[in-house]
Amino acid sequence: QVQLVESGGGLVQPGGSLRLSCVASGMIFSTKDIHWHRQAPGKQRELVAQITSGGRTNYADSVKGRFIISRDNAKNTVYLQMNNLKPEDTAVYFCYTNYYSRDSWGQGTQVTVSS
């Protein structure tokens, strides 16, 4: 049973920073591509960042230059460092992976950017 558990969300002022964590279990973590997605109320879920098993990264244009995705395979954890946060970053953030052709999602962590 694959499990992904996000943490690190909270309330932050515009321009502030947060670091999200996604801890995985029930899988061979080091071989998997991991994504961060987010969903704001009334909007579709969107891909924010992804990191491959080899450490290659990709970002949505809206967060490029502000967010950094990284992984620590020894801890089965993927991080999303979020800098210079904007109100439009407010959303529930989810981590995602595909394991044996099945989609796996975490429960999500709320990020609210407000003054």
Side-chain angles (χ1 to χ4, degrees):
Q1 184 86 9
V2 174
Q3 286 188 294
L4 301 172
V5 180
E6 304 96 336
S7 63
L11 175 64
V12 65
Q13 294 184 4
S17 297
L18 287 172
R19 189 178 74 160
L20 307 183
S21 299
C22 172
V23 180
S25 62
M27 58 187 286
I28 305 174
F29 178 81
S30 62
T31 70
K32 303 308 296 183
D33 182 330
I34 308 294
H35 300 178
W36 283 99
H37 296 244
R38 67 186 182 188
Q39 188 166 22
K43 296 185 178 180
Q44 294 185 349
R45 192 169 297 187
E46 63 175 340
L47 177 65
V48 174
Q50 60 188 119
I51 186 165
T52 70
S53 61
R56 291 175 294 169
T57 60
N58 288 288
Y59 300 92
D61 288 342
S62 59
V63 307
K64 193 172 297 181
R66 299 188 296 121
F67 291 9
I68 302 170
I69 188 170
S70 62
R71 66 193 299 157
D72 185 341
N73 289 340
K75 297 181 179 180
N76 282 10
T77 301
V78 169
Y79 302 99
L80 185 67
Q81 179 66 46
M82 309 165 67
N83 300 315
N84 192 24
L85 283 160
K86 304 175 183 295
E88 51 263 42
D89 295 319
T90 296
V92 178
Y93 285 71
F94 301 88
C95 58
Y96 162 91
T97 194
N98 182 276
Y99 197 60
Y100 288 106
S101 301
R102 296 184 181 274
D103 294 339
S104 295
W105 295 90
Q107 290 294 308
T109 185
Q110 176 71 49
V111 172
T112 302
V113 184
S114 176
S115 60

